[in-house]
């Protein structure tokens, strides 16, 4: 019961922050709009369009199962930034010291923080991804899938997207908590999201083991030049996350709360 109360308190802290509501606005309201705009373009040119009939196409039109997932990278950046800020904010304004007054067991408190973050991230990423994909198919009218049932492949890709968002956000949170600074996870992860990870992966084999490059192996893509190896990507991300979590947990339990008093 005490752990449940601690989780509830940590969850309340997350959803009552201004950053949380900004994230919701970006990934649940703005991201689906991009999906809807793309739908109108697809309807105008037709799903049978080819490079010969429409030279303006940058790539071939994918199968229906992939529709909508090209808009989900938009929401990945803000939720990863939110994770890093949330992790570092524990050491700002004496927040952690106040928290320890009602929960002095640090390992339990650390576990509750991670659990609350995972639950909230899974919920937001699922809702955002589903709405984005559903809106894309709604915008296509009779040409798209049923927006409520979709297809087994589309649901599988939604699950992969949720895993990608959750693991990267938890990693960002853990780095922020470990370093007690939001700049470190942002400097490490944000440039990778802006294609630096893919650039390094194309030039050097070790680049495939960077977090964002590994996460791109999970996402749905019909482009043959971009490999789809979700199991490999998840294993690499879980290894990154486990390593940082152990370090962050040890630092959280053993070290002083930080700050000047």
């Amino acid at each position: 019961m005490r752990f449940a109360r601690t989780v509830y308190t940590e969850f309340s802290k997350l959803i009552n922050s201004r950053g949380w509501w900004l994230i919701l606005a970006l990934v649940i309201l703005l991201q689906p709009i991009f999906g809807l705009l793309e739908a109108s373009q697809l309807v105008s040119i037709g799903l049978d369009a080819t490079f010969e009939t429409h030279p303006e196409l940058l790539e071939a039109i994918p199968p229906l199962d992939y529709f909508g997932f090209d808009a989900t990278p938009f929401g990945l950046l803000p939720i990863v930034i939110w994770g890093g800020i949330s992790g570092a904010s524990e050491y700002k304004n004496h927040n952690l010291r106040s928290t320890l007054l009602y929960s002095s067991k640090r390992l339990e408190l650390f576990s509750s923080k991670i659990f609350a973050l995972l639950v909230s991230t899974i919920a937001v990423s699922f809702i955002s991804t589903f709405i984005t994909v559903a809106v894309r198919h709604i915008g296509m009218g009779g040409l798209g899938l049923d927006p409520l049932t979709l297809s087994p492949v589309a649901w599988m890709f939604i699950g992969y997207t949720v895993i990608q968002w959750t693991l990267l956000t938890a990693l960002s949170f853990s780095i922020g908590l470990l370093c007690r600074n939001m700049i470190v996870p942002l400097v490490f992860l944000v440039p990778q999201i802006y294609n630096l990870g893919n650039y390094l992966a194309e030039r050097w084999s070790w680049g495939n083991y960077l977090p964002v490059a590994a996460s791109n192996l999970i996402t749905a893509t019909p482009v043959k030049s971009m490999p789809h190896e979700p199991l490999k990507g998840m294993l690499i991300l879980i290894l990154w996350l486990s390593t940082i979590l152990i370090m962050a947990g040890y630092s959280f339990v053993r070290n002083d709360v930080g700050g000047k008093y």
Side-chain angles (χ1 to χ4, degrees):
M1 287 297 295
R2 184 174 62 184
F3 179 74
R5 289 195 299 268
T6 306
V7 170
Y8 175 78
T9 301
E10 293 302 315
F11 182 73
S12 298
K13 287 169 58 179
L14 287 175
I15 66 175
N16 286 318
S17 63
R18 285 180 296 179
W20 169 263
W21 296 106
L22 178 60
I23 290 300
L24 287 183
L26 289 174
V27 304
I28 294 183
L29 297 179
L30 191 56
Q31 179 178 279
I33 293 177
F34 287 105
L36 186 60
L37 293 175
E38 184 71 18
S40 62
Q41 296 177 359
L42 288 171
V43 171
S44 65
I45 65 175
L47 299 184
D48 56 349
T50 63
F51 293 112
E52 290 76 16
T53 59
H54 293 77
E56 69 274 13
L57 286 176
L58 298 178
E59 58 187 31
I61 296 178
L64 285 175
D65 299 317
Y66 290 89
F67 281 23
F69 293 98
D70 55 336
T72 58
F74 171 83
L76 178 62
L77 179 62
I79 201 168
V80 167
I81 292 175
W82 171 75
I85 293 175
S86 299
S89 66
E90 295 298 326
Y91 292 97
K92 301 296 182 182
N93 302 320
H94 311 308
N95 287 339
L96 183 56
R97 189 175 191 181
S98 301
T99 303
L100 290 171
L101 293 176
Y102 73 83
S103 180
S104 59
K105 293 190 175 182
R106 293 196 178 195
L107 183 58
E108 181 181 278
L109 179 59
F110 176 79
S111 301
S112 67
K113 289 181 181 295
I114 299 300
F115 186 79
L117 178 91
L118 290 176
V119 170
S120 57
T121 306
I122 289 172
V124 171
S125 57
F126 174 78
I127 294 172
S128 173
T129 304
F130 172 72
I131 292 177
T132 300
V133 174
V135 164
R136 170 69 63 84
H137 289 282
I138 290 173
M140 295 178 61
L143 297 177
L145 298 172
D146 186 304
L148 294 179
T149 59
L150 297 176
S151 70
V153 175
W155 281 111
M156 180 181 66
F157 289 154
I158 289 175
Y160 285 153
T161 304
V162 171
I163 291 172
Q164 180 199 26
W165 282 31
T166 302
L167 291 177
L168 283 179
T169 302
L171 178 61
S172 181
F173 179 89
S174 303
I175 295 174
L177 191 63
L178 172 64
C179 299
R180 307 184 181 190
N181 192 312
M182 68 177 183
I183 300 299
V184 178
L186 302 190
V187 168
F188 179 57
L189 292 174
V190 170
Q192 293 185 51
I193 295 175
Y194 274 115
N195 288 326
L196 178 60
N198 285 335
Y199 172 79
L200 295 176
E202 292 172 358
R203 293 183 62 87
W204 296 285
S205 59
W206 56 264
N208 290 299
Y209 296 94
L210 290 172
V212 177
S215 78
N216 290 336
L217 298 176
I218 303 174
T219 56
T221 173
V223 182
K224 294 182 179 180
S225 61
M226 297 180 65
H228 182 228
E229 302 177 77
L231 182 58
K232 177 181 177 180
M234 283 187 277
L235 289 175
I236 294 173
L237 273 180
I238 290 173
L239 180 60
W240 271 98
L241 180 59
S242 300
T243 303
I244 300 299
L245 271 180
I246 292 172
M247 296 170 62
Y250 182 85
S251 174
F252 188 87
V253 171
R254 294 288 184 177
N255 294 338
D256 185 68
V257 296
K260 298 179 180 180
Y261 300 97

